[in-house]
Amino acid sequence: MDFDSLDGLRAILAAATGPDADAAAGAADRNGQLTKPPGALGRLEDLAQWYCAWRGDARPVLEVPQVIVFAGNHGVAARGVSAFPPEVTVQMVANFEHGGAAINQLAKAFGARMDVVPLDLEHPTADFTKGPAMSEAECVAALQAGWQAVDPLCDVLVVGEMGIGNTTSAAALGAALFGGNAADWTGRGTGVDDAGLTLKTSIVQEALVRHADVTDGLDALMRLGGRELAGMAGAIARARSLRIPVILDGFICTAAAACLEKTRDGALDHTVAGHLSAEGAHANMLDALGKVPLLSLGLRLGEGSGAALAIGVLKGAVACHSGMATFAEAGVSDG
C-alpha cells in the first residue's frame, strides 16, 4: 500500500485496521494468571496488553526496536526564531551519522537499530507566514520518505527529529489543530531569551492568521509543518498499516503525530507517549490527544531521546508479561 497525494494517505488512514481482538483477549487472560497480585505491575500491565493487541500475539517478545531520526530545514528560521543558526541541522546530521549524539547512545543502550533520514536540507521549506511551508508534492515526498524508512520487521518504532526552527512549526500546528492563541503553544525551544520568545510568538500568530482556513491535519502539516515533521508522520502512518507499536517523543514529534489524528480519529491508537517534554505546551498537546506519558524527566532535546528511553519501559512490560510464570506453572496458590 502506497500513496501519491494527501488524499491517498487520507484513504489509507480511513482504511486502517485496529488491534487484534483475539490477542487482546488472550493477553488479558494471561495477565490475570501471572504470579502477582492483580494490578501489582500498574501501568506495565496495560502497556503489555496494548502491545500484545497490536502485535497480534498474546505472549510476544520485543527484540527489534527501530529509531529513525528525520532532519529538515525551515524557512521561518531566517526570521530569528531559534538560538541556533540553520546550519546546525546539517552539522547534527553528521553527528548522528558518526554516532556522537545522545540518541545514538540511547538507541545502542536499548538495542535499537538507528537510521538517519535527511530531507532536502539544502532547500528549506518556505516561510509559512507568507504562504504554505510546502507544496502538496513536497509534503507528499517527505511523507513517503517516512513511510519507506520503516523496517517492516521492527517490533516497536521511535521517530525523532532535527531541524532548527521546528518548535515554531510545532507551536503553529498545536494552535491550528487544537485551538487557542500563539502564546498558549509557543515556548523557548532551544533556549531563546525573552525578546526571542516574543518574536517567535508573533511569528506563530502571523502564521495562524495566514492559514486560518486549515481543513484537517494533513492540510495543516503541508502549510505549517516541515519535511522532518512530515517524515515522522509518514513513518507513524506506515507503522499503523503494519501494526507496529510506536512510542512518541516530545513536542515536535507529538505535533507531527497529531496531524494524523486530526485527519482521522483513532489514527494514533497504536501509539503511546514516551515522555513529557519540558517544552511547556507538550502537556496540553498530550492531554488533547488523551495520551499519558510514561516518563517525565525534564527532557527537551528531541532527536527521539525521551521515546528511546521509554523503549526500556516497554521492554520491561513485555518481558514481565511474557516471561513470568502463571500460578499454575509455578505451583503457587492464587488464593
Side-chain angles (χ1 to χ4, degrees):
M1 189 180 293
D2 206 344
F3 57 93
D4 58 10
S5 67
L6 293 182
D7 278 344
L9 182 54
R10 289 183 179 104
I12 289 173
L13 294 175
T17 57
D20 186 303
D22 290 340
D29 180 66
R30 175 172 174 77
N31 183 62
Q33 299 179 51
L34 298 177
T35 46
K36 59 177 178 58
L41 285 175
R43 286 189 66 193
L44 292 186
E45 297 182 20
D46 295 334
L47 190 60
Q49 292 174 73
W50 164 83
Y51 184 83
C52 292
W54 282 101
R55 294 305 290 160
D57 186 345
R59 194 175 181 177
V61 293
L62 197 171
E63 297 178 321
V64 194
Q66 183 182 15
V67 173
I68 312 173
V69 180
F70 296 93
N73 272 321
H74 293 253
V76 75
R79 300 282 301 275
V81 296
S82 174
F84 292 89
E87 51 265 31
V88 169
T89 303
V90 174
Q91 294 163 359
M92 281 302 298
V93 165
N95 194 30
F96 297 141
E97 291 174 340
H98 289 95
I103 188 58
N104 297 95
Q105 318 321 315
L106 294 169
K108 183 178 179 181
F110 295 106
R113 161 185 169 175
M114 181 174 151
D115 297 291
V116 184
V117 182
L119 295 166
D120 206 7
L121 297 183
E122 65 276 18
H123 297 112
T125 55
D127 179 349
F128 56 46
T129 66
K130 308 300 182 185
M134 295 173 280
S135 67
E136 179 170 354
E138 289 170 332
C139 188
V140 168
L143 284 160
Q144 288 174 331
W147 183 275
Q148 294 161 5
V150 177
D151 179 359
L153 298 179
C154 79
D155 50 19
V156 68
L157 178 68
V158 165
V159 291
E161 41 60 41
M162 177 62 213
I164 297 301
N166 61 15
T167 56
T168 305
S169 180
L173 284 170
L177 296 175
F178 299 111
N181 58 45
D184 296 329
W185 294 96
T186 308
R188 295 185 185 274
T190 51
V192 295
D193 59 15
D194 289 348
L197 179 59
T198 299
L199 171 65
K200 186 176 175 181
T201 304
S202 69
I203 288 171
V204 171
Q205 185 59 38
E206 283 183 52
L208 296 176
V209 171
R210 169 72 66 174
H211 302 286
D213 57 342
V214 161
T215 57
D216 71 0
L218 290 180
D219 185 42
L221 179 64
M222 179 184 74
R223 297 180 186 220
L224 298 167
R227 290 186 179 90
E228 79 278 34
L229 280 87
M232 289 189 289
I236 293 167
R238 178 71 186 287
R240 175 59 182 266
S241 75
L242 296 169
R243 284 186 173 166
I244 296 170
V246 174
I247 305 175
L248 299 176
D249 193 45
F251 182 52
I252 301 154
C253 173
T254 307
C259 294
L260 301 176
E261 184 69 23
K262 285 296 185 174
T263 299
R264 185 71 180 184
D265 289 346
L268 298 183
D269 287 355
H270 67 308
T271 72
V272 292
H275 78 121
L276 174 63
S277 169
E279 187 72 7
H282 189 215
N284 294 337
M285 194 174 284
L286 290 178
D287 286 345
L289 292 171
K291 302 289 184 185
V292 179
L294 297 176
L295 301 170
S296 181
L297 299 170
L299 306 179
R300 56 179 183 85
L301 178 61
E303 303 179 2
S305 52
L309 271 173
I311 291 173
V313 176
L314 181 57
K315 277 192 166 188
V318 172
C320 288
H321 176 86
S322 296
M324 286 177 67
T326 65
F327 283 102
E329 290 167 344
V332 175
S333 172
D334 62 0

